Amino acid sequence: MAVTKSNRKKHQSYISVSSQIISSISQSSLECLLESPKKKHISSLKLRPFLKNPRFWVFLMFVLCFLCMLKMWFHFEPVTPLTQNIYFTPQEKTILSTGLSSSQLNLVEIEETDNKIEFWKQPEGMGYRPCLDFSVKYGEETDEIMKDRTKYLMVVVAGGLNQQRNQIVDAVVIARILGASLVVPILQVNVIWGDESEFSDIFDLDQFKNVLANDVRIVSSLPSTHLMTRHTREKTTPLHVSPEWIRSRYLKRLKRDGVLLLRGLDSRLSKDLPSDLQKLRCKVAFHALRFAPHISELGNKLTERMRRKGPYLALHLRMEKDVWVRTGCLPGLSQEYDVMINNERKSRPKLLTSRNNMTYHDRKVAGLCPLNALEVTRLLKSLGAPKSTRIYWAGGIPLGGKEALQPLTREFSHFYNKEDLALPGELEPFEKKASLMAAIDHIISENSNVFMASHGGNMGHAIQGQRAYAGHKKTITPNKRQMIRYFMNSSLPEAEFNKIIMDLHRDSLGQPELRTSKVRRDVTKYPVPECMCNNSVTHSSF
């Protein structure tokens, strides 16, 4: 029978359940319903003493800190910024599990990257390799030179590291021309950096002597027989003198006095020498002048840290204050910095190394100015450098500090220098020694997959020559004279700009260049054809 709503409200229904049914309900289910809250309460009672004990919280904090330290340790990577972590890919883990060394892993990574990205591909070396085969006459003259104990050449070399290297190379050649024993070169204290490093602090003296044992007799100091003799001193050797001039000017006096002291050798010796002397230049620059073991060790360590994740670009930035002053150019940062550079140039006009009658604009258009960070960024992008490119930058602190580098660091976030790569304390023995710090930059740059200098200079020229001698490793030479007008054209579409810049640099990527086509260029920058050959004849190398 239907029940009305009013009736439902007035009447209550009851269900009677027999005791047997109740007893048949699972005892465990009832216990679960009735006793669970009690268990939870009991557990909390047991934990309460621990929670109130300060030692428990100290122990807990210690465990958490220890776990965090472990995590940081396993993920630590000196090369990587603190905001990033490096993880091995599955393929890398497979390679490591097979027992390959880190250098082999690096080669695999580079090979794979080369196949994908045009930027890392190396230029065609055309089969050129080092060949330093001296003439028979050269060997005969060596015997007489090594027997002579009467003539000694002393030289004082000045300037930065690479200026010193150039002068040491010429000192060896001049000693050979005069048939004199060479006293280990004296390094003049650098007045700008206050670096008092001696030859053996920077270079491997044993290597220097051993490699040149069949070319020039090298002694660490004057013998007692010559200590009190009168020294012939020459301070004003003209530029680009020939071997004949050297002999006619110095040989007679050297035989008379026994000791010749030369200063200021920078570019004094001609770049166009007889074949044997050109080969000797290469032998000194590429084989004898190795950095001291403690410098090489750290330089190679930092190189390996850059290589861990594949190829890298070494970038020599010439953006220091003195560079802008000497070149007569402006950094392009702000009006404040432009005024600072102009005032410095007016107060010290002798620092200007270019022609005084050129305006800044004329210098810029002529390709005589260093590239600033924005121009370097645009050039690299145009040449196909991916955003993931890992860049090692060498050189001094740029005018404007980190802000001056922002165009580069915004586009290429993997941006490091030696301070970023070194572990705490590793650079401490080299601090306040500009030549040693420059030597570390030199090693890492020389070993890079790609190298580029923003503005020539002695270091850029030295590394270009060494990379050519090592098999024409990719070296980008910015074609500033041709490209700068396109940089100044803001209306040029990006795609067209990139194509133009790429076309301008197709022959400026480290391919073999004949020195004979370069007027007064150093063979240590262009070692082809005097020091490298590409025929099938076997040649000696060191």
Side-chain angles (χ1 to χ4, degrees):
M1 181 177 64
V3 181
T4 64
K5 290 183 180 180
S6 59
N7 287 337
R8 278 205 293 264
K9 291 180 181 178
K10 294 178 181 179
H11 298 284
Q12 293 183 347
S13 299
Y14 298 91
I15 300 174
S16 61
V17 180
S18 65
S19 61
Q20 290 86 356
I21 295 175
I22 295 176
S23 62
S24 66
I25 297 177
S26 170
Q27 184 70 24
S28 60
S29 299
L30 289 173
E31 288 178 354
C32 180
L33 291 172
L34 297 173
E35 295 183 9
S36 289
K38 290 183 179 180
K39 286 186 178 180
K40 188 173 182 180
H41 179 67
I42 293 171
S43 299
S44 63
L45 289 175
K46 290 181 179 180
L47 287 174
R48 189 170 296 169
F50 289 98
L51 296 176
K52 290 184 177 181
N53 192 335
R55 293 183 180 180
F56 170 79
W57 291 105
V58 172
F59 177 76
L60 182 62
M61 291 296 294
F62 173 80
V63 171
L64 292 175
C65 290
F66 181 74
L67 292 175
C68 289
M69 289 175 64
L70 282 179
K71 183 176 180 181
M72 290 175 64
W73 174 262
F74 285 115
H75 287 209
F76 177 73
E77 171 56 73
V79 174
T80 307
L82 294 178
T83 56
Q84 300 178 12
N85 287 318
I86 285 184
Y87 299 97
F88 286 116
T89 64
Q91 184 179 21
E92 290 171 347
K93 291 178 180 177
T94 303
I95 294 172
L96 288 174
S97 65
T98 61
L100 295 183
S101 66
S102 61
S103 60
Q104 289 171 311
L105 172 60
N106 178 54
L107 291 175
V108 172
E109 289 177 336
I110 292 174
E111 183 179 355
E112 289 189 355
T113 309
D114 284 350
N115 292 332
K116 296 178 181 178
I117 302 177
E118 185 76 19
F119 182 76
W120 299 115
K121 289 187 177 179
Q122 298 298 307
E124 173 56 53
M126 298 168 60
Y128 279 101
R129 64 185 184 282
C131 52
L132 301 180
D133 49 339
F134 294 86
S135 67
V136 174
K137 181 182 178 183
Y138 184 89
E140 293 172 349
E141 292 173 348
T142 298
D143 296 335
E144 295 299 321
I145 290 173
M146 293 303 169
K147 293 176 184 177
D148 195 318
R149 298 290 190 276
T150 63
K151 303 191 297 290
Y152 291 87
L153 173 65
M154 298 179 65
V155 296
V156 178
V157 299
L161 173 66
N162 291 286
Q163 282 178 292
Q164 292 173 343
R165 284 173 61 96
N166 293 340
Q167 293 170 55
I168 293 169
V169 170
D170 281 357
V172 173
V173 176
I174 291 173
R176 174 75 192 197
I177 292 171
L178 295 172
S181 299
L182 176 66
V183 180
V184 172
I186 300 167
L187 275 54
Q188 181 174 312
V189 177
N190 194 298
V191 294
I192 298 177
W193 299 292
D195 191 341
E196 299 181 358
S197 300
E198 298 180 356
F199 185 97
S200 58
D201 295 326
I202 303 174
F203 303 106
D204 188 332
L205 182 55
D206 290 336
Q207 170 84 2
F208 187 67
K209 290 181 176 181
N210 293 337
V211 169
L212 299 174
N214 295 322
D215 305 279
V216 174
R217 183 169 173 266
I218 298 172
V219 296
S220 297
S221 60
L222 282 175
S224 58
T225 55
H226 286 66
L227 286 175
M228 303 303 293
T229 60
R230 173 179 152 191
H231 298 176
T232 298
R233 302 190 180 192
E234 184 67 65
K235 297 181 180 179
T236 56
T237 305
L239 293 172
H240 308 298
V241 297
S242 66
E244 291 75 21
W245 190 96
I246 294 287
R247 293 189 188 98
S248 64
R249 176 77 174 183
Y250 301 131
L251 193 54
K252 185 176 180 179
R253 285 187 287 172
L254 183 56
K255 288 180 179 179
R256 181 192 68 199
D257 299 332
V259 179
L260 170 65
L261 174 62
L262 295 180
R263 293 176 178 270
L265 290 181
D266 198 12
S267 297
R268 302 301 169 182
L269 185 60
S270 171
K271 306 301 181 187
D272 299 309
L273 299 174
S275 177
D276 285 330
L277 296 181
Q278 294 288 65
K279 288 180 171 60
L280 179 57
R281 254 190 176 137
C282 291
K283 189 174 181 180
V284 180
F286 302 139
H287 300 286
L289 278 178
R290 297 280 176 85
F291 291 116
H294 65 292
I295 298 175
S296 297
E297 181 181 358
L298 181 56
N300 291 330
K301 277 184 181 178
L302 302 188
T303 296
E304 285 303 313
R305 290 172 193 168
M306 279 301 297
R307 284 178 173 170
R308 281 178 186 170
K309 293 300 291 182
Y312 69 94
L313 162 71
L315 184 60
H316 185 210
L317 291 176
R318 306 294 310 284
M319 296 170 55
E320 302 93 328
K321 178 181 177 181
D322 68 297
V323 175
W324 297 116
V325 172
R326 287 187 290 104
T327 57
C329 301
L330 298 176
L333 297 173
S334 68
Q335 184 68 24
E336 178 186 354
Y337 285 109
D338 290 349
V339 171
M340 178 195 301
I341 295 300
N342 281 324
N343 290 340
E344 184 80 13
R345 194 175 296 130
K346 289 177 182 177
S347 64
R348 305 172 69 186
K350 291 184 179 180
L351 292 178
L352 185 62
T353 55
S354 299
R355 286 166 287 182
N356 289 313
N357 60 348
M358 294 182 70
T359 65
Y360 160 62
H361 179 77
D362 291 337
R363 296 176 195 277
K364 187 77 172 177
V365 173
L368 299 177
C369 291
L371 299 177
N372 60 34
L374 177 59
E375 291 164 342
V376 170
T377 304
R378 295 188 68 191
L379 175 58
L380 290 176
K381 289 177 64 178
S382 298
L383 296 178
K387 288 182 70 69
S388 60
T389 296
R390 304 171 74 251
I391 297 177
Y392 177 83
W393 71 277
I397 301 299
L399 178 66
K402 291 183 178 180
E403 290 183 7
L405 298 174
Q406 282 184 355
L408 261 168
T409 55
R410 278 198 300 263
E411 187 67 30
F412 302 102
S413 58
H414 303 287
F415 197 75
Y416 316 99
N417 63 8
K418 51 186 171 291
E419 284 78 11
D420 299 319
L421 300 177
L423 298 176
E426 282 186 321
L427 287 177
E428 189 174 339
F430 306 92
E431 290 176 354
K432 298 182 181 179
K433 295 182 182 292
S435 294
L436 274 61
M437 297 289 265
I440 294 172
D441 276 344
H442 193 111
I443 293 170
I444 302 172
S445 298
E446 183 185 348
N447 292 330
S448 65
N449 301 89
V450 180
F451 172 76
M452 188 179 89
S454 63
H455 181 66
N458 289 307
M459 178 175 169
H461 293 167
I463 293 177
Q464 178 180 333
Q466 287 174 313
R467 292 172 68 84
Y469 194 75
H472 291 93
K473 296 162 67 177
K474 186 169 183 177
T475 303
I476 301 171
T477 304
N479 190 343
K480 291 186 289 184
R481 185 184 297 272
Q482 297 295 325
M483 74 181 187
I484 203 66
R485 64 177 181 270
Y486 298 107
F487 276 76
M488 299 171 74
N489 184 357
S490 59
S491 64
L492 197 63
E494 184 177 359
E496 185 178 349
F497 172 82
N498 291 343
K499 183 180 183 304
I500 291 172
I501 299 302
M502 180 69 80
D503 290 340
L504 286 176
H505 289 85
R506 292 195 186 280
D507 297 325
S508 305
L509 302 177
Q511 301 94 330
E513 293 185 73
L514 296 180
R515 192 195 71 86
T516 50
S517 65
K518 308 289 182 182
V519 179
R520 283 187 175 177
R521 296 298 178 90
D522 199 329
V523 69
T524 59
K525 181 182 178 183
Y526 298 98
V528 178
E530 288 95 336
C531 301
M532 300 185 76
C533 47
N534 62 353
N535 55 38
S536 58
V537 179
T538 301
H539 297 269
S540 61
S541 60
F542 302 86

